[in-house]
PDB file of all heavy atoms in Angstrom:
ATOM      1  N   ILE A   2      15.093  -7.813  13.600  1.00 98.00           N
ATOM      2  CA  ILE A   2      15.737  -6.658  14.053  1.00 98.00           C
ATOM      3  C   ILE A   2      17.262  -6.822  14.282  1.00 98.00           C
ATOM      4  O   ILE A   2      18.079  -6.039  13.834  1.00 98.00           O
ATOM      5  CB  ILE A   2      15.071  -6.098  15.317  1.00 98.00           C
ATOM      6  CG1 ILE A   2      13.664  -5.510  14.979  1.00 98.00           C
ATOM      7  CG2 ILE A   2      15.923  -4.974  15.950  1.00 98.00           C
ATOM      8  CD1 ILE A   2      12.812  -5.112  16.220  1.00 98.00           C
ATOM      9  N   ASP A   3      17.585  -7.855  14.989  1.00 98.00           N
ATOM     10  CA  ASP A   3      19.007  -8.174  15.296  1.00 98.00           C
ATOM     11  C   ASP A   3      19.759  -8.405  13.985  1.00 98.00           C
ATOM     12  O   ASP A   3      20.934  -7.958  13.886  1.00 98.00           O
ATOM     13  CB  ASP A   3      19.110  -9.389  16.224  1.00 98.00           C
ATOM     14  CG  ASP A   3      18.698  -9.105  17.579  1.00 98.00           C
ATOM     15  OD1 ASP A   3      18.570  -7.862  17.953  1.00 98.00           O
ATOM     16  OD2 ASP A   3      18.370 -10.013  18.371  1.00 98.00           O
ATOM     17  N   LEU A   4      19.174  -9.100  13.077  1.00 96.00           N
ATOM     18  CA  LEU A   4      19.831  -9.377  11.785  1.00 96.00           C
ATOM     19  C   LEU A   4      20.128  -8.076  11.071  1.00 96.00           C
ATOM     20  O   LEU A   4      21.257  -7.795  10.558  1.00 96.00           O
ATOM     21  CB  LEU A   4      18.917 -10.262  10.865  1.00 96.00           C
ATOM     22  CG  LEU A   4      19.332 -10.325   9.411  1.00 96.00           C
ATOM     23  CD1 LEU A   4      20.632 -11.141   9.231  1.00 96.00           C
ATOM     24  CD2 LEU A   4      18.237 -10.995   8.623  1.00 96.00           C
ATOM     25  N   GLN A   5      19.158  -7.225  11.010  1.00 98.00           N
ATOM     26  CA  GLN A   5      19.334  -5.872  10.296  1.00 98.00           C
ATOM     27  C   GLN A   5      20.301  -4.975  10.999  1.00 98.00           C
ATOM     28  O   GLN A   5      21.051  -4.214  10.336  1.00 98.00           O
ATOM     29  CB  GLN A   5      17.894  -5.211  10.163  1.00 98.00           C
ATOM     30  CG  GLN A   5      16.901  -6.035   9.458  1.00 98.00           C
ATOM     31  CD  GLN A   5      17.219  -6.324   7.995  1.00 98.00           C
ATOM     32  OE1 GLN A   5      18.408  -6.426   7.573  1.00 98.00           O
ATOM     33  NE2 GLN A   5      16.135  -6.734   7.226  1.00 98.00           N
ATOM     34  N   LYS A   6      20.356  -5.057  12.323  1.00 98.00           N
ATOM     35  CA  LYS A   6      21.385  -4.227  13.083  1.00 98.00           C
ATOM     36  C   LYS A   6      22.800  -4.665  12.689  1.00 98.00           C
ATOM     37  O   LYS A   6      23.624  -3.822  12.416  1.00 98.00           O
ATOM     38  CB  LYS A   6      21.209  -4.484  14.559  1.00 98.00           C
ATOM     39  CG  LYS A   6      20.080  -3.696  15.206  1.00 98.00           C
ATOM     40  CD  LYS A   6      20.018  -3.914  16.712  1.00 98.00           C
ATOM     41  CE  LYS A   6      18.968  -3.065  17.407  1.00 98.00           C
ATOM     42  NZ  LYS A   6      18.926  -3.359  18.897  1.00 98.00           N
ATOM     43  N   GLY A   7      22.983  -5.961  12.534  1.00 96.00           N
ATOM     44  CA  GLY A   7      24.313  -6.413  12.129  1.00 96.00           C
ATOM     45  C   GLY A   7      24.678  -5.986  10.717  1.00 96.00           C
ATOM     46  O   GLY A   7      25.832  -5.580  10.484  1.00 96.00           O
ATOM     47  N   LEU A   8      23.739  -5.902   9.844  1.00 97.00           N
ATOM     48  CA  LEU A   8      23.965  -5.449   8.455  1.00 97.00           C
ATOM     49  C   LEU A   8      24.068  -3.947   8.405  1.00 97.00           C
ATOM     50  O   LEU A   8      24.738  -3.405   7.490  1.00 97.00           O
ATOM     51  CB  LEU A   8      22.928  -5.960   7.577  1.00 97.00           C
ATOM     52  CG  LEU A   8      23.022  -7.595   7.392  1.00 97.00           C
ATOM     53  CD1 LEU A   8      21.837  -8.114   6.624  1.00 97.00           C
ATOM     54  CD2 LEU A   8      24.336  -7.961   6.638  1.00 97.00           C
ATOM     55  N   LEU A   9      23.391  -3.246   9.249  1.00 98.00           N
ATOM     56  CA  LEU A   9      23.512  -1.725   9.313  1.00 98.00           C
ATOM     57  C   LEU A   9      24.991  -1.460   9.768  1.00 98.00           C
ATOM     58  O   LEU A   9      25.569  -0.499   9.226  1.00 98.00           O
ATOM     59  CB  LEU A   9      22.546  -1.171  10.295  1.00 98.00           C
ATOM     60  CG  LEU A   9      21.110  -1.088   9.846  1.00 98.00           C
ATOM     61  CD1 LEU A   9      20.167  -0.716  10.926  1.00 98.00           C
ATOM     62  CD2 LEU A   9      20.955  -0.064   8.686  1.00 98.00           C
ATOM     63  N   GLU A  10      25.520  -2.225  10.603  1.00 97.00           N
ATOM     64  CA  GLU A  10      26.957  -2.061  10.989  1.00 97.00           C
ATOM     65  C   GLU A  10      27.865  -2.237   9.810  1.00 97.00           C
ATOM     66  O   GLU A  10      28.824  -1.561   9.574  1.00 97.00           O
ATOM     67  CB  GLU A  10      27.315  -2.934  12.166  1.00 97.00           C
ATOM     68  CG  GLU A  10      26.664  -2.546  13.473  1.00 97.00           C
ATOM     69  CD  GLU A  10      26.990  -3.471  14.562  1.00 97.00           C
ATOM     70  OE1 GLU A  10      27.291  -4.715  14.297  1.00 97.00           O
ATOM     71  OE2 GLU A  10      26.964  -3.137  15.773  1.00 97.00           O
ATOM     72  N   LYS A  11      27.537  -3.295   8.996  1.00 96.00           N
ATOM     73  CA  LYS A  11      28.295  -3.573   7.730  1.00 96.00           C
ATOM     74  C   LYS A  11      28.169  -2.377   6.810  1.00 96.00           C
ATOM     75  O   LYS A  11      29.141  -1.979   6.189  1.00 96.00           O
ATOM     76  CB  LYS A  11      27.837  -4.869   7.171  1.00 96.00           C
ATOM     77  CG  LYS A  11      28.597  -5.201   5.878  1.00 96.00           C
ATOM     78  CD  LYS A  11      28.443  -6.675   5.482  1.00 96.00           C
ATOM     79  CE  LYS A  11      29.234  -7.600   6.414  1.00 96.00           C
ATOM     80  NZ  LYS A  11      29.237  -9.000   5.879  1.00 96.00           N
ATOM     81  N   ALA A  12      26.903  -1.839   6.632  1.00 97.00           N
ATOM     82  CA  ALA A  12      26.743  -0.742   5.669  1.00 97.00           C
ATOM     83  C   ALA A  12      27.523   0.484   6.173  1.00 97.00           C
ATOM     84  O   ALA A  12      28.031   1.184   5.347  1.00 97.00           O
ATOM     85  CB  ALA A  12      25.229  -0.420   5.600  1.00 97.00           C
ATOM     86  N   ALA A  13      27.557   0.731   7.458  1.00 97.00           N
ATOM     87  CA  ALA A  13      28.311   1.813   8.019  1.00 97.00           C
ATOM     88  C   ALA A  13      29.807   1.623   7.733  1.00 97.00           C
ATOM     89  O   ALA A  13      30.547   2.562   7.385  1.00 97.00           O
ATOM     90  CB  ALA A  13      28.019   1.969   9.484  1.00 97.00           C
ATOM     91  N   ALA A  14      30.285   0.358   7.898  1.00 96.00           N
ATOM     92  CA  ALA A  14      31.659   0.067   7.644  1.00 96.00           C
ATOM     93  C   ALA A  14      32.038   0.335   6.199  1.00 96.00           C
ATOM     94  O   ALA A  14      33.233   0.661   5.876  1.00 96.00           O
ATOM     95  CB  ALA A  14      31.945  -1.358   8.101  1.00 96.00           C
ATOM     96  N   LEU A  15      31.135   0.100   5.291  1.00 97.00           N
ATOM     97  CA  LEU A  15      31.338   0.368   3.925  1.00 97.00           C
ATOM     98  C   LEU A  15      31.408   1.870   3.578  1.00 97.00           C
ATOM     99  O   LEU A  15      31.831   2.216   2.422  1.00 97.00           O
ATOM    100  CB  LEU A  15      30.283  -0.383   3.061  1.00 97.00           C
ATOM    101  CG  LEU A  15      30.318  -1.830   2.975  1.00 97.00           C
ATOM    102  CD1 LEU A  15      29.010  -2.376   2.347  1.00 97.00           C
ATOM    103  CD2 LEU A  15      31.570  -2.235   2.164  1.00 97.00           C
ATOM    104  N   GLY A  16      30.796   2.659   4.465  1.00 97.00           N
ATOM    105  CA  GLY A  16      30.753   4.076   4.187  1.00 97.00           C
ATOM    106  C   GLY A  16      29.498   4.515   3.420  1.00 97.00           C
ATOM    107  O   GLY A  16      29.384   5.626   2.915  1.00 97.00           O
ATOM    108  N   CYS A  17      28.533   3.600   3.379  1.00 98.00           N
ATOM    109  CA  CYS A  17      27.227   3.941   2.725  1.00 98.00           C
ATOM    110  C   CYS A  17      26.476   5.149   3.488  1.00 98.00           C
ATOM    111  O   CYS A  17      26.635   5.209   4.634  1.00 98.00           O
ATOM    112  CB  CYS A  17      26.336   2.738   2.641  1.00 98.00           C
ATOM    113  SG  CYS A  17      26.929   1.458   1.575  1.00 98.00           S
ATOM    114  N   ARG A  18      25.732   5.895   2.735  1.00 97.00           N
ATOM    115  CA  ARG A  18      24.966   6.978   3.357  1.00 97.00           C
ATOM    116  C   ARG A  18      23.543   6.503   3.788  1.00 97.00           C
ATOM    117  O   ARG A  18      22.954   7.002   4.694  1.00 97.00           O
ATOM    118  CB  ARG A  18      24.940   8.124   2.383  1.00 97.00           C
ATOM    119  CG  ARG A  18      26.221   8.799   2.137  1.00 97.00           C
ATOM    120  CD  ARG A  18      26.065  10.060   1.341  1.00 97.00           C
ATOM    121  NE  ARG A  18      27.298  10.645   0.941  1.00 97.00           N
ATOM    122  CZ  ARG A  18      27.456  11.829   0.304  1.00 97.00           C
ATOM    123  NH1 ARG A  18      26.321  12.496  -0.011  1.00 97.00           N
ATOM    124  NH2 ARG A  18      28.589  12.302   0.017  1.00 97.00           N
ATOM    125  N   LYS A  19      23.025   5.578   2.911  1.00 98.00           N
ATOM    126  CA  LYS A  19      21.683   5.179   3.157  1.00 98.00           C
ATOM    127  C   LYS A  19      21.575   3.667   3.283  1.00 98.00           C
ATOM    128  O   LYS A  19      22.388   2.863   2.666  1.00 98.00           O
ATOM    129  CB  LYS A  19      20.712   5.564   1.968  1.00 98.00           C
ATOM    130  CG  LYS A  19      20.879   7.039   1.555  1.00 98.00           C
ATOM    131  CD  LYS A  19      20.438   8.004   2.615  1.00 98.00           C
ATOM    132  CE  LYS A  19      20.615   9.470   2.099  1.00 98.00           C
ATOM    133  NZ  LYS A  19      20.273  10.451   3.161  1.00 98.00           N
ATOM    134  N   ALA A  20      20.613   3.195   4.003  1.00 98.00           N
ATOM    135  CA  ALA A  20      20.337   1.743   4.006  1.00 98.00           C
ATOM    136  C   ALA A  20      18.834   1.585   3.813  1.00 98.00           C
ATOM    137  O   ALA A  20      17.989   2.245   4.414  1.00 98.00           O
ATOM    138  CB  ALA A  20      20.650   1.103   5.451  1.00 98.00           C
ATOM    139  N   VAL A  21      18.519   0.736   2.798  1.00 98.00           N
ATOM    140  CA  VAL A  21      17.120   0.537   2.429  1.00 98.00           C
ATOM    141  C   VAL A  21      16.536  -0.687   3.000  1.00 98.00           C
ATOM    142  O   VAL A  21      17.164  -1.775   3.094  1.00 98.00           O
ATOM    143  CB  VAL A  21      17.051   0.399   0.862  1.00 98.00           C
ATOM    144  CG1 VAL A  21      15.670   0.112   0.341  1.00 98.00           C
ATOM    145  CG2 VAL A  21      17.595   1.617   0.182  1.00 98.00           C
ATOM    146  N   ILE A  22      15.332  -0.543   3.553  1.00 98.00           N
ATOM    147  CA  ILE A  22      14.658  -1.635   4.245  1.00 98.00           C
ATOM    148  C   ILE A  22      13.243  -1.843   3.720  1.00 98.00           C
ATOM    149  O   ILE A  22      12.546  -0.923   3.431  1.00 98.00           O
ATOM    150  CB  ILE A  22      14.624  -1.385   5.789  1.00 98.00           C
ATOM    151  CG1 ILE A  22      14.239  -2.669   6.502  1.00 98.00           C
ATOM    152  CG2 ILE A  22      13.801  -0.218   6.200  1.00 98.00           C
ATOM    153  CD1 ILE A  22      14.515  -2.618   8.008  1.00 98.00           C
ATOM    154  N   HIS A  23      12.764  -3.116   3.610  1.00 98.00           N
ATOM    155  CA  HIS A  23      11.442  -3.480   3.344  1.00 98.00           C
ATOM    156  C   HIS A  23      10.679  -3.534   4.597  1.00 98.00           C
ATOM    157  O   HIS A  23      11.106  -4.210   5.619  1.00 98.00           O
ATOM    158  CB  HIS A  23      11.375  -4.827   2.654  1.00 98.00           C
ATOM    159  CG  HIS A  23      11.781  -4.819   1.157  1.00 98.00           C
ATOM    160  ND1 HIS A  23      11.498  -5.792   0.325  1.00 98.00           N
ATOM    161  CD2 HIS A  23      12.438  -3.843   0.460  1.00 98.00           C
ATOM    162  CE1 HIS A  23      11.976  -5.509  -0.843  1.00 98.00           C
ATOM    163  NE2 HIS A  23      12.536  -4.351  -0.826  1.00 98.00           N
ATOM    164  N   PRO A  24       9.490  -2.846   4.685  1.00 98.00           N
ATOM    165  CA  PRO A  24       8.728  -2.864   5.949  1.00 98.00           C
ATOM    166  C   PRO A  24       7.999  -4.210   6.242  1.00 98.00           C
ATOM    167  O   PRO A  24       7.476  -4.399   7.319  1.00 98.00           O
ATOM    168  CB  PRO A  24       7.727  -1.741   5.766  1.00 98.00           C
ATOM    169  CG  PRO A  24       7.627  -1.555   4.295  1.00 98.00           C
ATOM    170  CD  PRO A  24       8.939  -1.903   3.702  1.00 98.00           C
ATOM    171  N   SER A  25       7.964  -5.076   5.252  1.00 98.00           N
ATOM    172  CA  SER A  25       7.294  -6.352   5.452  1.00 98.00           C
ATOM    173  C   SER A  25       7.738  -7.361   4.358  1.00 98.00           C
ATOM    174  O   SER A  25       8.300  -7.015   3.421  1.00 98.00           O
ATOM    175  CB  SER A  25       5.739  -6.249   5.462  1.00 98.00           C
ATOM    176  OG  SER A  25       5.203  -6.193   4.129  1.00 98.00           O
ATOM    177  N   GLY A  26       7.313  -8.548   4.577  1.00 97.00           N
ATOM    178  CA  GLY A  26       7.365  -9.572   3.541  1.00 97.00           C
ATOM    179  C   GLY A  26       6.021  -9.683   2.873  1.00 97.00           C
ATOM    180  O   GLY A  26       5.213  -8.777   2.950  1.00 97.00           O
ATOM    181  N   GLU A  27       5.697 -10.810   2.213  1.00 97.00           N
ATOM    182  CA  GLU A  27       4.423 -11.094   1.543  1.00 97.00           C
ATOM    183  C   GLU A  27       4.217 -12.553   1.299  1.00 97.00           C
ATOM    184  O   GLU A  27       5.209 -13.344   1.315  1.00 97.00           O
ATOM    185  CB  GLU A  27       4.315 -10.281   0.230  1.00 97.00           C
ATOM    186  CG  GLU A  27       5.323 -10.739  -0.834  1.00 97.00           C
ATOM    187  CD  GLU A  27       5.114 -10.049  -2.144  1.00 97.00           C
ATOM    188  OE1 GLU A  27       3.986  -9.621  -2.458  1.00 97.00           O
ATOM    189  OE2 GLU A  27       6.126  -9.864  -2.856  1.00 97.00           O
ATOM    190  N   PRO A  28       2.971 -12.950   1.124  1.00 96.00           N
ATOM    191  CA  PRO A  28       1.770 -12.212   1.062  1.00 96.00           C
ATOM    192  C   PRO A  28       1.260 -11.914   2.556  1.00 96.00           C
ATOM    193  O   PRO A  28       1.530 -12.758   3.380  1.00 96.00           O
ATOM    194  CB  PRO A  28       0.768 -13.070   0.312  1.00 96.00           C
ATOM    195  CG  PRO A  28       1.283 -14.431   0.605  1.00 96.00           C
ATOM    196  CD  PRO A  28       2.782 -14.359   0.710  1.00 96.00           C
ATOM    197  N   LEU A  29       0.523 -10.876   2.683  1.00 97.00           N
ATOM    198  CA  LEU A  29      -0.053 -10.549   4.027  1.00 97.00           C
ATOM    199  C   LEU A  29      -1.529 -10.709   4.058  1.00 97.00           C
ATOM    200  O   LEU A  29      -2.235 -10.431   3.040  1.00 97.00           O
ATOM    201  CB  LEU A  29       0.259  -9.078   4.365  1.00 97.00           C
ATOM    202  CG  LEU A  29       1.722  -8.678   4.446  1.00 97.00           C
ATOM    203  CD1 LEU A  29       1.823  -7.245   5.034  1.00 97.00           C
ATOM    204  CD2 LEU A  29       2.516  -9.602   5.281  1.00 97.00           C
ATOM    205  N   ASP A  30      -1.999 -11.259   5.136  1.00 97.00           N
ATOM    206  CA  ASP A  30      -3.434 -11.364   5.343  1.00 97.00           C
ATOM    207  C   ASP A  30      -4.058  -9.995   5.666  1.00 97.00           C
ATOM    208  O   ASP A  30      -3.546  -9.381   6.635  1.00 97.00           O
ATOM    209  CB  ASP A  30      -3.705 -12.386   6.487  1.00 97.00           C
ATOM    210  CG  ASP A  30      -5.142 -12.738   6.753  1.00 97.00           C
ATOM    211  OD1 ASP A  30      -6.012 -11.922   6.407  1.00 97.00           O
ATOM    212  OD2 ASP A  30      -5.379 -13.830   7.319  1.00 97.00           O
ATOM    213  N   GLU A  31      -5.049  -9.605   4.887  1.00 97.00           N
ATOM    214  CA  GLU A  31      -5.625  -8.313   5.165  1.00 97.00           C
ATOM    215  C   GLU A  31      -6.122  -8.124   6.556  1.00 97.00           C
ATOM    216  O   GLU A  31      -6.140  -7.045   7.127  1.00 97.00           O
ATOM    217  CB  GLU A  31      -6.771  -8.016   4.125  1.00 97.00           C
ATOM    218  CG  GLU A  31      -6.255  -7.752   2.766  1.00 97.00           C
ATOM    219  CD  GLU A  31      -5.349  -6.541   2.679  1.00 97.00           C
ATOM    220  OE1 GLU A  31      -5.725  -5.456   3.200  1.00 97.00           O
ATOM    221  OE2 GLU A  31      -4.224  -6.578   2.114  1.00 97.00           O
ATOM    222  N   ALA A  32      -6.606  -9.200   7.187  1.00 98.00           N
ATOM    223  CA  ALA A  32      -7.079  -9.153   8.611  1.00 98.00           C
ATOM    224  C   ALA A  32      -6.009  -8.759   9.522  1.00 98.00           C
ATOM    225  O   ALA A  32      -6.259  -8.357  10.658  1.00 98.00           O
ATOM    226  CB  ALA A  32      -7.758 -10.443   8.945  1.00 98.00           C
ATOM    227  N   GLU A  33      -4.736  -9.087   9.197  1.00 98.00           N
ATOM    228  CA  GLU A  33      -3.603  -8.805  10.110  1.00 98.00           C
ATOM    229  C   GLU A  33      -2.923  -7.476   9.745  1.00 98.00           C
ATOM    230  O   GLU A  33      -1.991  -7.103  10.397  1.00 98.00           O
ATOM    231  CB  GLU A  33      -2.518  -9.931   9.936  1.00 98.00           C
ATOM    232  CG  GLU A  33      -3.082 -11.324  10.393  1.00 98.00           C
ATOM    233  CD  GLU A  33      -2.039 -12.407  10.146  1.00 98.00           C
ATOM    234  OE1 GLU A  33      -1.051 -12.101   9.502  1.00 98.00           O
ATOM    235  OE2 GLU A  33      -2.265 -13.494  10.670  1.00 98.00           O
ATOM    236  N   ARG A  34      -3.343  -6.803   8.793  1.00 98.00           N
ATOM    237  CA  ARG A  34      -2.681  -5.620   8.257  1.00 98.00           C
ATOM    238  C   ARG A  34      -2.421  -4.534   9.255  1.00 98.00           C
ATOM    239  O   ARG A  34      -1.273  -4.079   9.393  1.00 98.00           O
ATOM    240  CB  ARG A  34      -3.358  -5.047   7.011  1.00 98.00           C
ATOM    241  CG  ARG A  34      -2.548  -4.121   6.220  1.00 98.00           C
ATOM    242  CD  ARG A  34      -3.214  -3.844   4.845  1.00 98.00           C
ATOM    243  NE  ARG A  34      -2.129  -3.241   3.967  1.00 98.00           N
ATOM    244  CZ  ARG A  34      -1.312  -3.962   3.287  1.00 98.00           C
ATOM    245  NH1 ARG A  34      -1.354  -5.304   3.272  1.00 98.00           N
ATOM    246  NH2 ARG A  34      -0.365  -3.363   2.561  1.00 98.00           N
ATOM    247  N   ALA A  35      -3.369  -4.101   9.982  1.00 98.00           N
ATOM    248  CA  ALA A  35      -3.273  -3.058  11.003  1.00 98.00           C
ATOM    249  C   ALA A  35      -2.261  -3.523  12.063  1.00 98.00           C
ATOM    250  O   ALA A  35      -1.386  -2.718  12.492  1.00 98.00           O
ATOM    251  CB  ALA A  35      -4.580  -2.740  11.624  1.00 98.00           C
ATOM    252  N   ALA A  36      -2.313  -4.707  12.497  1.00 98.00           N
ATOM    253  CA  ALA A  36      -1.415  -5.232  13.548  1.00 98.00           C
ATOM    254  C   ALA A  36      -0.017  -5.270  13.018  1.00 98.00           C
ATOM    255  O   ALA A  36       0.966  -4.894  13.749  1.00 98.00           O
ATOM    256  CB  ALA A  36      -1.822  -6.570  14.048  1.00 98.00           C
ATOM    257  N   ARG A  37       0.184  -5.718  11.827  1.00 98.00           N
ATOM    258  CA  ARG A  37       1.513  -5.779  11.235  1.00 98.00           C
ATOM    259  C   ARG A  37       2.050  -4.389  11.012  1.00 98.00           C
ATOM    260  O   ARG A  37       3.297  -4.156  11.119  1.00 98.00           O
ATOM    261  CB  ARG A  37       1.435  -6.526   9.883  1.00 98.00           C
ATOM    262  CG  ARG A  37       1.435  -8.074  10.057  1.00 98.00           C
ATOM    263  CD  ARG A  37       1.458  -8.757   8.677  1.00 98.00           C
ATOM    264  NE  ARG A  37       1.727 -10.246   8.838  1.00 98.00           N
ATOM    265  CZ  ARG A  37       2.905 -10.740   8.852  1.00 98.00           C
ATOM    266  NH1 ARG A  37       3.977 -10.014   8.819  1.00 98.00           N
ATOM    267  NH2 ARG A  37       3.027 -12.107   8.971  1.00 98.00           N
ATOM    268  N   LEU A  38       1.231  -3.397  10.680  1.00 98.00           N
ATOM    269  CA  LEU A  38       1.712  -2.087  10.521  1.00 98.00           C
ATOM    270  C   LEU A  38       2.307  -1.535  11.829  1.00 98.00           C
ATOM    271  O   LEU A  38       3.383  -0.846  11.866  1.00 98.00           O
ATOM    272  CB  LEU A  38       0.565  -1.156  10.057  1.00 98.00           C
ATOM    273  CG  LEU A  38       0.900   0.269   9.615  1.00 98.00           C
ATOM    274  CD1 LEU A  38       1.771   0.199   8.359  1.00 98.00           C
ATOM    275  CD2 LEU A  38      -0.401   1.092   9.371  1.00 98.00           C
ATOM    276  N   GLU A  39       1.640  -1.836  12.937  1.00 98.00           N
ATOM    277  CA  GLU A  39       2.145  -1.440  14.234  1.00 98.00           C
ATOM    278  C   GLU A  39       3.405  -2.142  14.595  1.00 98.00           C
ATOM    279  O   GLU A  39       4.350  -1.543  15.158  1.00 98.00           O
ATOM    280  CB  GLU A  39       1.080  -1.642  15.276  1.00 98.00           C
ATOM    281  CG  GLU A  39      -0.117  -0.654  15.166  1.00 98.00           C
ATOM    282  CD  GLU A  39       0.282   0.711  15.103  1.00 98.00           C
ATOM    283  OE1 GLU A  39       1.082   1.210  15.946  1.00 98.00           O
ATOM    284  OE2 GLU A  39      -0.142   1.445  14.143  1.00 98.00           O
ATOM    285  N   GLN A  40       3.580  -3.336  14.262  1.00 98.00           N
ATOM    286  CA  GLN A  40       4.778  -4.119  14.502  1.00 98.00           C
ATOM    287  C   GLN A  40       5.980  -3.598  13.669  1.00 98.00           C
ATOM    288  O   GLN A  40       7.090  -3.400  14.173  1.00 98.00           O
ATOM    289  CB  GLN A  40       4.573  -5.646  14.134  1.00 98.00           C
ATOM    290  CG  GLN A  40       3.691  -6.377  15.094  1.00 98.00           C
ATOM    291  CD  GLN A  40       4.338  -6.701  16.403  1.00 98.00           C
ATOM    292  OE1 GLN A  40       4.282  -5.869  17.272  1.00 98.00           O
ATOM    293  NE2 GLN A  40       4.952  -7.859  16.506  1.00 98.00           N
ATOM    294  N   ALA A  41       5.692  -3.291  12.442  1.00 98.00           N
ATOM    295  CA  ALA A  41       6.753  -2.701  11.519  1.00 98.00           C
ATOM    296  C   ALA A  41       7.169  -1.319  12.156  1.00 98.00           C
ATOM    297  O   ALA A  41       8.390  -1.049  12.149  1.00 98.00           O
ATOM    298  CB  ALA A  41       6.207  -2.518  10.152  1.00 98.00           C
ATOM    299  N   LYS A  42       6.256  -0.538  12.592  1.00 98.00           N
ATOM    300  CA  LYS A  42       6.597   0.748  13.114  1.00 98.00           C
ATOM    301  C   LYS A  42       7.423   0.706  14.386  1.00 98.00           C
ATOM    302  O   LYS A  42       8.430   1.458  14.582  1.00 98.00           O
ATOM    303  CB  LYS A  42       5.305   1.589  13.427  1.00 98.00           C
ATOM    304  CG  LYS A  42       4.669   2.055  12.115  1.00 98.00           C
ATOM    305  CD  LYS A  42       3.235   2.630  12.336  1.00 98.00           C
ATOM    306  CE  LYS A  42       3.288   3.981  12.958  1.00 98.00           C
ATOM    307  NZ  LYS A  42       1.946   4.657  12.945  1.00 98.00           N
ATOM    308  N   LYS A  43       7.156  -0.351  15.264  1.00 98.00           N
ATOM    309  CA  LYS A  43       7.953  -0.591  16.465  1.00 98.00           C
ATOM    310  C   LYS A  43       9.349  -0.925  16.020  1.00 98.00           C
ATOM    311  O   LYS A  43      10.377  -0.418  16.643  1.00 98.00           O
ATOM    312  CB  LYS A  43       7.374  -1.654  17.340  1.00 98.00           C
ATOM    313  CG  LYS A  43       6.138  -1.296  18.102  1.00 98.00           C
ATOM    314  CD  LYS A  43       5.867  -2.281  19.208  1.00 98.00           C
ATOM    315  CE  LYS A  43       5.509  -3.668  18.621  1.00 98.00           C
ATOM    316  NZ  LYS A  43       5.039  -4.623  19.722  1.00 98.00           N
ATOM    317  N   SER A  44       9.470  -1.815  15.004  1.00 98.00           N
ATOM    318  CA  SER A  44      10.790  -2.255  14.544  1.00 98.00           C
ATOM    319  C   SER A  44      11.501  -1.020  13.896  1.00 98.00           C
ATOM    320  O   SER A  44      12.778  -0.917  14.170  1.00 98.00           O
ATOM    321  CB  SER A  44      10.639  -3.390  13.528  1.00 98.00           C
ATOM    322  OG  SER A  44       9.953  -4.485  14.025  1.00 98.00           O
ATOM    323  N   LEU A  45      10.887  -0.263  13.112  1.00 98.00           N
ATOM    324  CA  LEU A  45      11.550   0.841  12.414  1.00 98.00           C
ATOM    325  C   LEU A  45      12.053   1.915  13.417  1.00 98.00           C
ATOM    326  O   LEU A  45      13.063   2.474  13.202  1.00 98.00           O
ATOM    327  CB  LEU A  45      10.574   1.462  11.436  1.00 98.00           C
ATOM    328  CG  LEU A  45      10.341   0.624  10.142  1.00 98.00           C
ATOM    329  CD1 LEU A  45       9.136   1.257   9.363  1.00 98.00           C
ATOM    330  CD2 LEU A  45      11.521   0.514   9.320  1.00 98.00           C
TER     331      LEU A  45
END
């Protein structure tokens, strides 16, 4: 989150309108999927 905050500031300094983010890496264990979805939503 802290890394992406710093780069969002850079995107804003560039004058960009949108910033694109990946909600996860890979590969993901299916048994962890629901928990990871909640973690991603907290971060987003």
Side-chain angles (χ1 to χ4, degrees):
I2 289 173
D3 289 342
L4 169 68
Q5 304 297 20
K6 281 182 176 180
L8 292 170
L9 284 169
E10 290 178 333
K11 180 164 284 192
L15 286 170
C17 295
R18 296 188 182 183
K19 313 293 179 185
V21 176
I22 191 166
H23 284 195
S25 78
E27 65 175 329
L29 299 188
D30 185 335
E31 288 299 308
E33 298 178 347
R34 194 166 197 87
R37 280 185 170 271
L38 189 64
E39 291 308 308
Q40 290 288 85
K42 289 169 75 171
K43 286 196 297 184
S44 302
L45 288 170

